Each structure stands twice: as structure tokens, then as C-alpha cells.
């Protein structure tokens, strides 16, 4: 539900398609050290209108953070000390008090627009609060904190940060209390910036000065090849063909489809740009001359918008746009896949069954580059997905005999791919590549973030650590059996669902969301 506004504000004017944009890049979802000397503190109290079940309620949202005094083009920084305090009036507290809840905690998702010259990008500042006792009457303040995306200015213009819509989730007590899933009785609340907000919600302006020659140029374009083979290089299937194979893609609720739930909730409310999708696939284990099946797993994505690339001269034959966004696996509230079993014939004669989980240890970054030919509107899109993943073994059987692996048996670091841009994307992470083509009036062939499709890559599996209990060390057994380079991965993502703008299955429309706002399509793994 969206809070009413007295009037609709016009959108900022978009840049002409042939102009050069000073693109703002949203980098990794972890704090980065600001390289500029000195900081400027922001403490903005902004009026909002929140849509509670009893009706619109005026609230105050106080946003505090520290920004650098200035930054240099090409250098990343993150706002630090970010807090979002939501001050609810007595009438909002009355809605909560009626649900027999003694204390409440909040999760917030604040939309922040970052602008540099004509280019804009959207960041989602997420936070969570400690439990707060619910007063018998009077106002209530919920203060949420959390890490926020870093930002890189690509020119020497001012970077402006402007607060937008706020999604507020309210749940009883601590995350691990005995509330047994009880809700507060209040669904996720949408809060809109009031029309009389000072400076339309402007938080801060950070001047950017030109950077060194090596950082001020345009970002290099993704290039297929290396260890991330392009699925578009051989025979391809249409998305429509894959959808036709999909079992269990039935309209209505998604409770009994044999896959884990994949939805946003009160603890993690969606924004207008949020997406969710299922992914599945196979991962080869080269040493075992076999493949491991990765079951359908939920990915929640903070969607973004295509922008003109930074500091690139216009292409006379193509419209070029780039997209940068982030996602995370979601299984029972954790950033991981569901458990899955892998069975191998170790050393060619010993049957071994391992139950494993892939755990996400950092931000999943999705970079896409779209080129549309002016002459016939033919489009190609190349996408790189980068994510650090640790493989954890939760159970192990050798020749039918269980071996105790302990609670911390895992690879010592993330599975690792050779990145085509290692200077821009350092660290250990998996790289998957997808390519799509689309002629006007026809379906997409290949992979795009919205339509899904195949992604491929190759990883090295690092050595295992922490395996075994007591005096029994299983690290060397697992390392000798599994670890090493040259392990091919092929992943298939299904069509995304946009929960706040759902598309349901009809005789005229392909379904994207179930009635309970989960992804309609469950993809089928491909070898």
C-alpha cells in the first residue's frame, strides 16, 4: 500500500540518449574507506507519510551519516555511521499496541538517489533495529543501522544524495525469540517523502574533483572468453522453449511446488525495483569426473535501472546502456543455497556422499551491458555475475559409513574464477557470464537479468578446513578428493518476478509472479 501524496512531483529530466553521462557506479555492498580528507556530518529530519492500516500517518525519519568533504573521480567511498531513525506518532503506536506485542523491532529499506550531472543511480540503504519496548501510549522511535553501498564518481561534477521512499517492516521481539512467527498485525508499511520535505529530501552534496588519468577514463567493457564461456557461442534455446519444460509452474500460491519459498516479507520488504528469481544448475567436480546438481535456490535482487556508460563517447551505430545491481541467495533467512547431496566414486572405487551448502560471504554483483543497433533495433546484452561463495560440508558418508565432519567443515576461502577485470574486481569470487540477443518483435535468446536464461563459468575449488571432530582430521581427504581448478559451472536463472508490479499468468500473458508474489517460473537445470 502506498501513502497518498498531495501532488505528484515531476521526474528529473533524463539525459538525451546521445549525450555522455557522468555515470555514478554503485560498488560493493560493504563499507569502503573514503579517500578524501575530512568528513561532513549529515543529520536530516525529514517528514514522511506512512500508510498504516488505520490510515495515513505523518512520521519523522531522521537520517544520520558521515560523508567525505570531497572525493576524487574514480575513487569509491561509502557513507559511514548510517542510521535511519523512524519516529512514529501515538496513532501509529496504537496500531501496534492492539496486537498484544510487548516489544517490536524494525527493518528499513530507504531508497536513495545518487546524481552526478545528468546521470542518476538508485541505492537501497537497508538497516535493522534492536527490539524496543512498546509504550502503552505516546510516540515510538525505532533506530535502524546497517552497511550501505559504496559509490564511485565518474566525473568532476557534484555527487548529490537524495532520500526517497522508505519501506518499514515491523516484527515482534528479537530475531530468535519465542514469538513462533507471530506478526505484529501490521504489514510492511510504505512511507513516502512528504511534499513539503526540505530541498525535496536532499541529504548532502559531495564535490568530486578529477582523478588521475588511469582512473578517470571509461570503464572497460566486459569481454567474453577466458574461463567464463559465453553460452551464446553455440546452439541456443529460446526462453519460451525452456519455460515449456518447467515443472510445477502453476498459477496461484507457490506453497507446494517442491522448492524453497522465495519471497520478500516484513523483515525484508521489497522496493519498487526489487526482483526475485529461482536459479538451478550443475557444477562439475573435475577430480571426480562427475557433476553435482544445484537445486533451485532463491535469489533476491535489488534491481537497478540502465544508465548511459560513464565517460564513453557516443557510439554512432548503437545505443549503449549499462546496469549495475546486487543480489543475495535467500534460504530460511540466510544468504545460502538449500542443502544438496553430491555422490561421487572417490579414487574410482569408494562411494562418497556429501551434503553441502553454498554460503554467500559478500555482495553478489550483477553487471550488464546492452547494445542496440540503431539501424534495425537488434539488441545484444552481456552480463557478468560475481559472487563470493564458500562450500560447506554438513554431512559425509564413505561407503555408507557416516563420518563426523563437525560444524565448520568448509573451503578455506571462496570458490574462485579468473575475472576478466581483476583490477576492478579484486578478491576471490565466482564469475558467471551470460549473453543474449533479441531481434525486434521476437523473444530473447540467451540470458538477461529480467528474462533469465543460462550463465556459465569455471571455478577453482580451494582446500578444505575445519573438517572432522576430535583427533580425526578429514581436511586432507576432502581436499584430495575435490579441490582443484577447471570445474565448469552452468547455472540457469528463471524469469524474475517484480513483487510490487506483479505480472500474473493469463491466457494473454506469460506469468512472472504467483499470487503470493513468488517467482512463477522454476527453471530446469541444463548440462
Amino acid at each position: 500500500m502506498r501513502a497518498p501524496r498531495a501532488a505528484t512531483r515531476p521526474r528529473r529530466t533524463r539525459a538525451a540518449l546521445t549525450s555522455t553521462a557522468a555515470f555514478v557506479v554503485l560498488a560493493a555492498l560493504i563499507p569502503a574507506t573514503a579517500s578524501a580528507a575530512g568528513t561532513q556530518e549529515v543529520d536530516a529530519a525529514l517528514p514522511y507519510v506512512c500508510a498504516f492500516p488505520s490510515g495515513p500517518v505523518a512520521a519523522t525519519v531522521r537520517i544520520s551519516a558521515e560523508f567525505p568533504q570531497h572525493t576524487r573521480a574514480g575513487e569509491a567511498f561509502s557513507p559511514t555511521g548510517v542510521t535511519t531513525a523512524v519516529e512514529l506518532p501515538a496513532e501509529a503506536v496504537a496500531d501496534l499496541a492492539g496486537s498484544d506485542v510487548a516489544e517490536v523491532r524494525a527493518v528499513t529499506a530507504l531508497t536513495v538517489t545518487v546524481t552526478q550531472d545528468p546521470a542518476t543511480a538508485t541505492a537501497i540503504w537497508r538497516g535493522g533495529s534492536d527490539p524496543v519496548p512498546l509504550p502503552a501510549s505516546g510516540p515510538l522511535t525505532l533506530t535502524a543501522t546497517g552497511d550501505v553501498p559504496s559509490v564511485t564518481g565518474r566525473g568532476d561534477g557534484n555527487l548529490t544524495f537524495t532520500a526517497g521512499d522508505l519501506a518499514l517492516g515491523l516484527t515482534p521481539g528479537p530475531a530468535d525469540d519465542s514469538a513462533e512467527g507471530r506478526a505484529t498485525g501490521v504489514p510492511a508499511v510504505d512511507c513516502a517523502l512528504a511534499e513539503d520535505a526540505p530541498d525535496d529530501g536532499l541529504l548532502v552534496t559531495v564535490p568530486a574533483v578529477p582523478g588521475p588519468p588511469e582512473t578517470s577514463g571509461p570503464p572497460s567493457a566486459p569481454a567474453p572468453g577466458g574461463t567464463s564461456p559465453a553460452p551464446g557461442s553455440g546452439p541456443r534455446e529460446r526462453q519460451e522453449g525452456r519455460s515449456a519444460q518447467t515443472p510445477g509452474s502453476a498459477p496461484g500460491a507457490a506453497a507446494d511446488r517442491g522448492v524453497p519459498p522465495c519471497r520478500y516479507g516484513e523483515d525484508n520488504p521489497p522496493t519498487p525495483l526489487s526482483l526475485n528469481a529461482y536459479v538451478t544448475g550443475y557444477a562439475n567436480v573435475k577430480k571426480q569426473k562427475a557433476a553435482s546438481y544445484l537445486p533451485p535456490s532463491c535469489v533476491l535482487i535489488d534491481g537497478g535501472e540502465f544508465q548511459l556508460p560513464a565517460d564513453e563517447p557516443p557510439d554512432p551505430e548503437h545505443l549503449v546502456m549499462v546496469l549495475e545491481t546486487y543480489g543475495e541467495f535467500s534460504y530460511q533467512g540466510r544468504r545460502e543455497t538449500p542443502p544438496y547431496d553430491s555422490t561421487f566414486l572417490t579414487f574410482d572405487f569408494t562411494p562418497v556422499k556429501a551434503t553441502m551448502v553454498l554460503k554467500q560471504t559478500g555482495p553478489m554483483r550483477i553487471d550488464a551491458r546492452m547494445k542496440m543497433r540503431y539501424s534495425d533495433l537488434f539488441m545484444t546484452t552481456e552480463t557478468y555475475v560475481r559472487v563470493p561463495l564458500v562450500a560447506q560440508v554438513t554431512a559425509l558418508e564413505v561407503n555408507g559409513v557416516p563420518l563426523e565432519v563437525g560444524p565448520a567443515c568448509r573451503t578455506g576461502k571462496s570458490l574462485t574464477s579468473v575475472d576478466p577485470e581483476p583490477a576492478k574486481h579484486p578478491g576471490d569470487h565466482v564469475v558467471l557470464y551470460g549473453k543474449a540477443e533479441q531481434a525486434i518483435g521476437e523473444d530473447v535468446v540467451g540470458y538477461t537479468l529480467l528474462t533469465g536464461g543460462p550463465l556459465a563459468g569455471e571455478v577453482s575449488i580451494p582446500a578444505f578446513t575445519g573438517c572432522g571432530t576430535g583427533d580425526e582430521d578429514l581436511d586432507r581427504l576432502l581436499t584430495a578428493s575435490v579441490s582443484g581448478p577447471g570445474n565448469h559451472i552452468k547455472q540457469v536463472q528463471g524469469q524474475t518476478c517484480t513483487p510490487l508490479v506483479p505480472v500474473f499468468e493469463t491466457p494473454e500473458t506469460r506469468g512472472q509472479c504467483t499470487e503470493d508474489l513468488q517467482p512463477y517460473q522454476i527453471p530446469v537445470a541444463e548440462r
Side-chain angles (χ1 to χ4, degrees):
M1 122 183 24
R2 183 71 57 186
R5 295 192 180 197
T8 302
R9 287 179 293 180
R11 290 180 177 267
R12 290 182 173 84
T13 305
R14 294 185 181 271
L17 293 180
T18 56
S19 68
T20 301
F23 181 53
V24 179
V25 177
L26 299 180
L29 290 176
I30 54 175
T33 302
S35 59
T39 59
Q40 49 180 324
E41 296 183 0
V42 172
D43 187 8
L46 299 175
Y48 274 75
V49 178
C50 298
F52 275 81
S54 59
V57 172
T60 298
V61 177
R62 184 177 294 276
I63 303 163
S64 302
E66 290 187 357
F67 293 80
Q69 290 286 357
H70 59 82
T71 187
R72 192 172 292 276
E75 292 182 342
F77 70 89
S78 280
T80 58
V82 177
T83 63
T84 303
V86 183
E87 301 173 3
L88 298 175
E91 54 265 39
V93 176
D95 279 344
L96 299 173
S99 58
D100 296 327
V101 174
E103 56 182 6
V104 67
R105 58 189 176 90
V107 290
T108 58
L110 176 68
T111 301
V112 176
T113 300
V114 187
T115 304
Q116 187 176 46
D117 294 333
T120 63
T122 300
I124 306 299
W125 289 6
R126 296 189 181 275
S129 77
D130 293 329
V132 176
L134 198 62
S137 61
L140 172 67
T141 298
L142 298 163
T143 302
T145 60
D147 294 337
V148 302
S150 60
V151 173
T152 304
R154 293 297 181 182
D156 56 359
N158 291 338
L159 286 164
T160 62
F161 293 74
T162 304
D165 291 345
L166 173 73
L168 175 64
L170 299 167
T171 55
D176 58 351
D177 66 1
S178 59
E180 298 180 352
R182 288 189 297 115
T184 60
V186 176
V189 175
D190 287 340
C191 299
L193 189 70
E195 291 294 334
D196 58 350
D199 298 320
D200 288 336
L202 177 66
L203 297 176
V204 71
T205 297
V206 180
V209 297
E214 66 271 19
T215 62
S216 59
S220 55
T227 59
S228 296
S233 59
R236 296 182 296 261
E237 295 180 303
R238 292 188 177 276
Q239 288 298 102
E240 185 174 9
R242 269 192 300 275
S243 299
Q245 310 175 41
T246 303
S249 293
D256 300 316
R257 300 194 296 167
V259 292
C262 188
R263 62 166 68 91
Y264 292 85
E266 292 183 359
D267 285 351
N268 185 25
T271 71
L273 296 177
S274 293
L275 308 168
N276 50 351
Y278 284 111
V279 295
T280 186
Y282 288 97
N284 286 351
V285 179
K286 186 177 180 180
K287 282 187 174 180
Q288 298 296 329
K289 301 175 184 178
S292 179
Y293 171 66
L294 305 177
S297 303
C298 173
V299 177
L300 304 180
I301 302 166
D302 277 333
E305 295 179 338
F306 273 96
Q307 305 280 346
L308 296 171
D311 301 332
E312 290 188 21
D315 185 326
E317 297 181 357
H318 298 88
L319 168 64
V320 180
M321 303 287 280
V322 292
L323 170 73
E324 185 175 336
T325 188
Y326 299 89
E328 61 181 35
F329 284 103
S330 179
Y331 179 70
Q332 296 183 350
R334 300 184 296 273
R335 296 196 304 176
E336 62 187 41
T337 67
Y340 60 94
D341 292 334
S342 299
T343 302
F344 304 112
L345 199 62
T346 303
F347 307 124
D348 293 329
F349 65 88
T350 305
V352 173
K353 176 182 176 182
T355 302
M356 305 184 71
V357 172
L358 291 178
K359 292 180 174 288
Q360 183 178 337
T361 59
M364 176 190 296
R365 173 170 169 161
I366 304 166
D367 292 283
R369 183 179 179 88
M370 182 273 291
K371 292 180 67 173
M372 183 178 70
R373 195 160 55 209
Y374 288 125
S375 60
D376 57 2
L377 304 185
F378 184 83
M379 289 194 298
T380 60
T381 304
E382 292 183 292
T383 304
Y384 284 94
V385 178
R386 295 173 170 91
V387 56
L389 293 172
V390 166
Q392 179 169 351
V393 179
T394 60
L396 185 67
E397 292 182 7
V398 177
N399 203 21
V401 178
L403 295 181
E404 293 293 332
V405 295
C409 179
R410 48 177 280 174
T411 54
K413 60 181 182 177
S414 170
L415 282 64
T416 305
S417 300
V418 176
D419 197 297
E421 297 183 281
K424 186 177 179 181
H425 305 286
D428 297 321
H429 53 267
V430 174
V431 180
L432 298 177
Y433 173 82
K435 183 178 181 180
E437 297 177 347
Q438 184 178 24
I440 187 169
E442 297 186 9
D443 291 328
V444 173
V445 177
Y447 175 84
T448 72
L449 177 61
L450 294 179
T451 60
L455 292 154
E458 189 171 287
V459 301
S460 294
I461 302 174
F464 283 79
T465 183
C467 303
T469 57
D471 296 330
E472 190 171 28
D473 185 353
L474 302 178
D475 291 349
R476 287 184 292 177
L477 172 64
L478 286 166
T479 298
S481 303
V482 176
S483 300
N487 304 284
H488 181 71
I489 294 178
K490 188 171 184 181
Q491 176 181 287
V492 180
Q493 177 201 304
Q495 164 76 52
T496 56
C497 164
T498 308
L500 294 189
V501 193
V503 176
F504 301 115
E505 179 79 0
T506 70
E508 296 80 24
T509 313
R510 295 179 189 173
Q512 297 180 12
C513 303
T514 61
E515 290 181 0
D516 54 354
L517 304 181
Q518 300 192 60
Y520 181 87
Q521 186 186 55
I522 304 171
V524 176
E526 300 174 2
R527 292 185 182 271

